[in-house]
Amino acid sequence: MNTRLTRTLASVTFALAVLCGLAFIGTGVTHMLDDGAVCVQTGFWRNAPLADNLPLGKGVDASSSAARLCQDSPSAGQRAADLGGELPWLLFGSLALLLFSRLLKAVLLQGPFTDAASQRLSVLGWFVAVGTPLTGLAVGWSQSWLVGSMAPAVGSGPTVSGPQVLVLAGLAAVIMGKIMREGVRMREDLEGTI
């Protein structure tokens, strides 16, 4: 096993987790202090002319060619909902990278086929498998609420957005963690009988 490569990968992964965390905090603070317009994409009228009688909120500009709504002077709720399109994925990425970094550190300290490594792989897998749809639901809900606050007739129920294929990767990591844990137990049993 190449420990130098694993150590470097663990350090880079931890640094990326910290950077994502800082981006999460920085984006949240700067966006809440910004006084500019808030815009959201919607597929409600994509490829169709914008109807003149579409009930838009006060100060909302609509572009049918871009399927985009923009609020010139957004409320605090609208600004917070706009953050819901960015912040959940930054937080998810930061935590997933942190868990992966902890897995790599366990591999460095104890080896790859240990109980600690298998447990951390399972925790990472469950986090990705459960966190991906929850994060996608948070993003979809905040975006649909934002659309509904700008054009009440356009608003729809929450959707799940983002790369949902990560659920499969998370479940694969959970299964590999279970297989590794059984392998560790079998090795311990074998060592106990010899």
Side-chain angles (χ1 to χ4, degrees):
M1 182 174 94
N2 191 343
T3 57
R4 181 179 297 151
L5 178 64
T6 306
R7 183 172 286 116
T8 303
L9 187 57
S11 298
V12 168
T13 304
F14 182 76
L16 287 173
V18 170
L19 284 175
C20 279
L22 290 174
F24 172 81
I25 293 168
T27 301
V29 169
T30 57
H31 195 72
M32 288 305 284
L33 296 176
D34 183 18
D35 60 352
V38 168
C39 295
V40 64
Q41 296 287 120
T42 179
F44 179 73
W45 62 72
R46 190 176 307 256
N47 298 326
L50 183 61
D52 292 332
N53 59 357
L54 185 66
L56 297 175
K58 185 177 180 181
V60 175
D61 292 327
S63 167
S64 61
S65 63
R68 184 178 170 113
L69 296 170
C70 290
Q71 177 76 47
D72 289 331
S73 54
S75 67
Q78 287 174 321
R79 193 163 297 284
D82 186 43
L83 277 173
E86 298 174 47
L87 290 187
W89 287 115
L90 282 173
L91 181 62
F92 174 80
S94 179
L95 293 175
L97 286 168
L98 186 63
L99 289 172
F100 186 62
S101 174
R102 290 194 61 210
L103 168 64
L104 291 174
K105 285 186 182 184
V107 168
L108 274 172
L109 295 175
Q110 300 174 7
F113 301 106
T114 60
D115 198 41
S118 66
Q119 285 177 352
R120 289 186 181 174
L121 181 60
S122 292
V123 167
L124 175 61
W126 279 117
F127 177 79
V128 171
V130 174
T132 298
L134 289 178
T135 303
L137 186 61
V139 169
W141 179 83
S142 67
Q143 295 301 296
S144 68
W145 183 89
L146 186 57
V147 168
S149 73
M150 291 184 196
V154 177
S156 62
T159 59
V160 178
S161 65
Q164 296 304 310
V165 72
L166 290 177
V167 172
L168 297 175
L171 292 175
V174 170
I175 292 168
M176 287 304 301
K178 299 269 186 203
I179 291 170
M180 286 174 60
R181 190 170 300 134
E182 287 302 315
V184 168
R185 287 192 184 120
M186 289 173 59
R187 187 183 71 199
E188 289 171 353
D189 290 345
L190 184 63
E191 288 172 355
T193 57
I194 293 179

